[in-house]
Amino acid sequence: MAVSKLKPEGFERGKDPASELAALVRRGATVEARVVRLTEGEGGEPVWEVDFPGLPGVRGAVPHAEMGLPDPSLAARFVGQRVLVRVKHANARAGLALCSRREAVAESARAVLAKLKPGDTVDCVVKAVLPPGSGKPSRLLVDVGGGLLAEVPKREATWSQSAGLGELFRPGQATKAKVLSVDKEAGRVEVSLRQAQPDPWESAEFKSGDFVSGTVLGVDAERGIVFVEVLPGVVGITPPPLRGELRRGDRVSCAVAKFDREKRRLRLRLRSLLG
C-alpha cells in the first residue's frame, strides 16, 4: 500500500525536547521558564525548580546564587511566576538543565536601562507585595522589563490611602508605571504606578446631597474633623459623630455638603457607621 507523503493541513511536527535543550546550551540562549517550586540544595540553600513552555518533560534548576535576587527571602515569592533564564548546562537525554536567571537578567537589564529615561511610561509586572520591614514601608516589587526589579513604596503604588497593597495588587498582575529616575551605573530605576494613572480629583463629580460611602483615614479630635476617603485618592472631611467613636478603617455613609474640584475640597455630613 502506498503511503502518502502529503501532510495534513495544519500539521506541525512536534519539537524534540532533547534536541531543543541541547540547542539552547549551544546558543547560550535566554528563554522564559516557570518557577514550579522552591526546594533545598546542598547546604540547605534555596533552589528553584523550573519548567519550560513548549518543552514538555524538561526540568531545570536555578541555584540560589544564580537567582539574581536582591534578597534571598524573595525566592519563595517567585513560585508560580515566569522568569527569564539562561541554560548553562544540560543533560539532554534526561531532560535536565542547570539555569541562571542572574546572567539572563544582567544582559537584558543593560538593554532596558539604556532605553529608559525619566518621564517614560512603561509596562511592568508585579512580582511581590512586600510587608513593612527593615525600616521600609509596605511596597511592591515590580519588573519594569527584562527582569529588572524596582521597589515601589505604597505612596507611589496607588492613589488610595485606605486600601492595603495586598487588596489592590497580586503577583503576576500587569500594570503601567512612570519612570522617575534611572541610575545606569548602579543598575537601578525608580518608578511610580500612581503617577502613571489619572489624578482621581480630575474626574471626581459630586453635588450637594449625594450619598456616598467611604473609609475613615483618621480623626483629628482637637479640630473636630474626620477624614474619609470616598474614592481612591479623594478624601473629604466631616464632623465627628455626636455619639460613639470612629477609628481608622471604619466604613461610613455620608452625604455631600460641598464639593470644589479646583480647590480639592469635599465636605461631608456623617450619616451612619456601616457594618
Side-chain angles (χ1 to χ4, degrees), residues 2-17:
V3 178
S4 173
K5 295 183 180 180
L6 296 176
K7 295 180 175 63
E9 289 182 324
F11 177 86
E12 183 177 344
R13 188 178 299 279
K15 296 179 180 179
D16 175 36

Side-chain angles (χ1 to χ4, degrees), residues 59-110:
R59 282 287 190 271
V62 183
H64 167 253
E66 297 300 328
M67 292 179 183
L69 298 177
D71 186 335
S73 66
L74 295 173
R77 295 182 177 273
F78 279 70
V79 175
Q81 299 196 59
R82 295 191 176 191
V83 296
L84 295 176
V85 299
R86 175 170 290 173
V87 181
K88 301 286 291 177
H89 306 285
N91 183 331
R93 289 190 176 184
L96 299 174
L98 180 64
C99 308
S100 172
R101 177 185 176 274
R102 177 182 59 82
E103 291 188 17
V105 170
E107 180 178 344
S108 58
R110 284 194 294 270

Side-chain angles (χ1 to χ4, degrees), residues 8-198:
E9 289 182 324
F11 177 86
E12 183 177 344
R13 188 178 299 279
K15 296 179 180 179
D16 175 36
S19 298
E20 289 290 319
L21 190 56
L24 290 175
V25 177
R26 287 196 304 271
R27 299 198 308 267
T30 293
V31 296
E32 190 175 71
R34 182 175 65 94
V35 181
V36 178
R37 62 177 60 88
L38 183 68
T39 62
E40 285 189 2
E42 295 183 7
E45 292 189 340
V47 176
W48 282 337
E49 182 181 330
V50 301
D51 63 13
F52 302 88
L55 292 178
V58 176
R59 282 287 190 271
V62 183
H64 167 253
E66 297 300 328
M67 292 179 183
L69 298 177
D71 186 335
S73 66
L74 295 173
R77 295 182 177 273
F78 279 70
V79 175
Q81 299 196 59
R82 295 191 176 191
V83 296
L84 295 176
V85 299
R86 175 170 290 173
V87 181
K88 301 286 291 177
H89 306 285
N91 183 331
R93 289 190 176 184
L96 299 174
L98 180 64
C99 308
S100 172
R101 177 185 176 274
R102 177 182 59 82
E103 291 188 17
V105 170
E107 180 178 344
S108 58
R110 284 194 294 270
V112 172
L113 285 167
K115 294 180 179 180
L116 289 181
K117 59 183 182 299
D120 285 348
T121 297
V122 298
D123 293 314
C124 61
V125 172
V126 176
K127 306 303 288 186
V129 180
L130 304 176
S134 303
K136 295 182 178 181
S138 59
R139 58 208 186 279
L140 298 179
L141 187 69
V142 301
D143 181 342
V144 298
L148 180 62
L149 300 176
E151 287 191 4
V152 185
K154 183 181 179 182
R155 67 178 182 276
E156 292 297 344
T158 176
W159 285 98
S160 177
Q161 298 180 47
S162 60
L165 291 180
E167 302 173 60
L168 302 172
F169 299 96
R170 66 184 187 283
Q173 179 178 338
T175 184
K176 298 281 187 180
K178 182 179 180 179
V179 178
L180 302 181
S181 68
V182 179
D183 188 333
K184 296 180 181 179
E185 292 185 2
R188 288 197 302 266
V189 59
E190 292 184 341
V191 300
S192 170
L193 276 62
R194 179 179 64 85
Q195 294 186 41
Q197 305 299 321

